[in-house]
Amino acid sequence: MKGNWVRCPKDKTRGVWAAMHVSLNRDGHICLTKRTWERFGAPKAVHLLFDKANQRIGLQATALGIRDAYAIGPSGPRGGKMIRAYRLLQEFNIDVRETLEFPELEIDIDGIMILDLRTAAISRRSANNHMRKRSPPHAALRPDDRSRG
């Protein structure tokens, strides 16, 4: 019997690991996938920039040992990279309560990777974390039972 095959079209969207991906958590860790770091030029360090008027963070590749350079270190077993940027959050009063992802990630003509806080979204992985879904231990107690401990 002859089959009646129909080809399934491929989505235009790129796979998670093919697209550039950067996240920022409340500890100030900026995490880049290996692919993103490579497309950025695989720098050893970056300068952290902030555009207050447009609420954008900029990462500018630089060399280690240069003044105000933040080292890029390893993150995870698959070649991801991390920048410890808590000072950026403190210096510019950036309030990050959840891990953020940057869906409109771009590298401009000056080589600055732009992380737009206005279009940042809460990471699905962070939002679905099983630890967040647990209610605190005292939530199950009635208000008059809380004082008894």
Side-chain angles (χ1 to χ4, degrees):
M1 184 168 169
K2 183 157 172 95
N4 187 13
W5 298 104
V6 177
R7 182 178 293 172
C8 179
K10 184 177 178 188
D11 290 338
K12 299 256 185 232
T13 58
R14 293 185 276 176
V16 171
W17 302 115
M20 291 201 307
H21 183 269
V22 175
S23 65
L24 169 65
N25 69 19
R26 63 182 176 195
D27 294 330
H29 296 167
I30 299 173
C31 296
L32 296 81
T33 60
K34 179 181 178 182
R35 192 103 185 218
T36 304
W37 177 69
E38 289 170 346
R39 286 188 188 166
F40 190 40
K44 300 286 184 199
V46 293
H47 282 131
L48 299 175
L49 312 169
F50 187 64
D51 178 358
K52 186 174 184 173
N54 295 309
Q55 290 295 297
R56 299 184 310 171
I57 296 170
L59 305 178
Q60 185 177 37
T62 190
L64 279 174
I66 303 292
R67 185 176 178 196
D68 297 331
Y70 285 76
I72 297 178
S75 174
R78 290 186 170 75
K81 301 296 177 183
M82 179 173 51
I83 304 153
R84 296 181 188 274
Y86 188 70
R87 174 67 186 263
L88 175 82
L89 302 182
Q90 288 182 319
E91 186 72 24
F92 299 106
N93 296 320
I94 301 170
D95 186 22
V96 177
R97 296 180 187 184
E98 303 284 338
T99 300
L100 301 175
E101 293 178 340
F102 300 91
E104 296 181 18
L105 183 63
E106 67 175 289
I107 300 174
D108 72 5
I109 59 171
D110 296 324
I112 297 173
M113 183 182 294
I114 299 170
L115 312 177
D116 195 335
L117 292 168
R118 296 172 300 181
T119 60
I122 295 174
S123 165
R124 287 173 286 164
R125 188 173 178 180
S126 174
N128 293 330
N129 187 329
H130 72 281
M131 295 298 286
R132 293 189 179 282
K133 293 182 179 183
R134 286 189 192 160
S135 58
H138 68 276
L141 299 174
R142 293 189 310 265
D144 57 333
D145 291 342
R146 288 185 191 150
S147 62
R148 294 183 210 160

